[in-house]
Amino acid sequence: MFTRVKKFFDSELSMNDLFGSFQSNFLAYLFILPQLVVIGIFFIYPTIKSFRMSMFRSVPFRGLVNFVGLKNFIDIFQSPAYLQSIVVTLIFGLLVTVLGVGVSLVIAKMLDVVVRGVGFYQAAVIWPYAISPTIAGIIWGFLFHPSHGSISYFLPFELNWLTNGEEALVLVILAATWRQLGYNIAFYIAGLKAIPTSFQEAAVVDGANGWQRFWRITFPMLSPITFFLVTMNLIYAFFRTFGLIHALTQGGPAGYTNLMIYKVYTDGFTDLRLGYSAAQSVILLLFVAGITMFQFKFAERRVAYQ
Amino acid sequence: MITMVKKIRDKVDFRILIHILLILTIFVLSFPLIYTFIVSTQSLSAAVAIPPNLKVGGGIIENYATAWGRANMGRVLLNSGIMSLSVTVGKITVAAMTAFAIVFFDPPGGRFIFFITLLTLMLPIPVRLLPTHEVVSSFGWIDTYFALTLPYFVSATATFLLRQFFKTVPQDLVDAARVDGASPTRFFFRVLIPLSRTNIAALFVILFIWTWNQYLWPLVVTNSETMRVMQLGISFLIPKGGTGMPPWNIIMAAVVIAVLPPLLVLMIMQREFVKGLIEPEK
């Protein structure tokens, strides 16, 4: 084996002589190795460690040594702050997803109808996607600032999201949705382009109006993309909006924007409650596992459609 | 004939309506960004004036210079650039190699490896935040580029998309390459990679923007100012708490600088981005 490896590195030409065809398992594993190493060290091992840590509690100066079993989980579910965090996260995730996917479909459909200037329109609706959740938070925080925000000036009512939790939650939902629209629209544009025109033409011949054509043909044909986007938006809302919260509300006021991903960080890195934070990581894992199962289940159904 | 004319007329009206709606949509979606740029050119008093002032100011050079210095932009751009390019190229390379091996060699355990890769979708950073931080710090990687790049070198999306694409490559092409005496690596670099360039371009856009916008992981693995990435640099410009007025004009100038690199990538590769998103027909 080792002489083969040595020969392999000595001359690149010899590879074909050595392995003859594409049937070599050795070469295959060599190609797969980097991915396996990264997954093992930075994904699998830390996840197992997370489970372990979630059953310990830290002792000052000695680290995470005190085994407490499921006590961390019991504490979590008895903590009003954590229960509030779950509720807020669910509201946030659902609204960001429904708003984001729905609005994007409407915009993409409008783009699909126009012929002239489509390149410009497309670029102009996609560009907010380049902005990070952090920067979206900063920009929206400024636009809607209660005392000197330019949009709050034009609003017919007085904004006070610095102290009003519900307003703060609405603000982070809008900022997060806005930032993700470009991504959703791009996928819908690609999906609409992939629908064969013959389907539409046949429906026109059959006398279907635009509205019927949309709901009977376009929408069902787009359903794989819609499901994909629902999954991606849920994952985005649950796991990629840390910067938005950190820059805009820091979880406040009164915990109204304290998303689970934000709490896992503050409990672990600010308050140094390591076991408690690890237990929250495990709960987040269950969340994402649920979303992924949903996606896989759908992926199977999609094969059945074809 | 008359109905036809009527149909066409209806259609024209409808199109104009759509154009108007689209322009309105674009205005609403782009307003925050356009306004950000306007504020970045104003003096602070103009930026926070009530009623709002929508005129471009004359402070453009001054504000950008101040933002550049205050956020240590030279260093921060370099750090984010190194991180984003390495991670994007690393993710795509590692994923392409894996997809190549799984599809064309079909080794024992290939399906299992693919399954493990998809499993990483379930393990975003928050789910393994503390222990991954521990691993990286036990390697002595805190405040290094290793910490900012290597833990990211796997992409389920890229592996999945490239595997789907590789499966559509006709067997004839593989056989032809084999008859011509091309080695597997030659086939990989000379045939497969050029064939999948649209998909790779789409992945490049998504992954570059995603990496450029990373926040939580850089926050926990870097402490020193010399290792700070763009997103952190920007957020440090905003005073947390306190009653002083944040220097909005300077912050917005920094925001414009921070948004430019991913925006350029998106605009230059927009066509490939949209085209390469949809998986090829199976």
Side-chain angles (χ1 to χ4, degrees), chain A residues 15 29 49 121 132 178 246, chain B residues 19 29 108 126 134 185 215 231:
Chain A
M15 216 149 28
Y29 291 132
K49 191 89 191 290
Y121 286 140
S132 70
W178 169 72
H246 197 58
Chain B
H19 277 279
L29 289 186
E134 254 185 38
T185 24
Y215 188 93
Q231 304 303 322

Side-chain angles (χ1 to χ4, degrees), chain A residues 40-178:
Chain A
I41 297 177
F42 299 112
F43 286 79
I44 307 285
Y45 171 73
T47 306
I48 296 169
K49 191 89 191 290
S50 236
F51 276 96
R52 215 183 104 81
M53 283 170 79
S54 72
M55 289 184 227
F56 283 82
R57 215 158 265 182
S58 42
V59 175
F61 308 112
R62 288 180 54 213
L64 215 50
V65 290
N66 201 355
F67 181 81
V68 292
L70 295 176
K71 185 87 171 57
N72 284 326
F73 290 93
I74 295 168
D75 283 3
I76 283 175
F77 284 108
Q78 283 176 347
S79 143
Y82 197 74
L83 296 179
Q84 181 194 25
S85 176
I86 293 181
V87 172
V88 165
T89 306
L90 287 177
I91 295 174
F92 179 82
L94 287 179
L95 284 179
V96 166
T97 303
V98 170
L99 271 177
V101 175
V103 171
S104 306
L105 178 57
V106 174
I107 295 174
K109 183 61 202 168
M110 290 200 292
L111 277 168
D112 193 47
V113 174
V114 297
V115 180
R116 244 175 243 192
V118 68
F120 163 76
Y121 286 140
Q122 195 172 303
V125 291
I126 289 180
W127 71 322
Y129 173 55
I131 283 133
S132 70
T134 316
I135 289 177
I138 294 172
I139 296 176
W140 282 65
F142 174 61
L143 287 173
F144 287 89
H145 196 280
S147 64
H148 53 261
S150 54
I151 292 186
S152 19
Y153 172 78
F154 290 108
L155 289 177
F157 51 90
E158 207 158 301
L159 264 188
N160 210 2
W161 55 270
L162 290 172
T163 49
N164 180 324
E166 280 155 29
E167 283 182 17
L169 183 57
V170 171
L171 186 68
V172 292
I173 287 170
L174 290 180
T177 309
W178 169 72

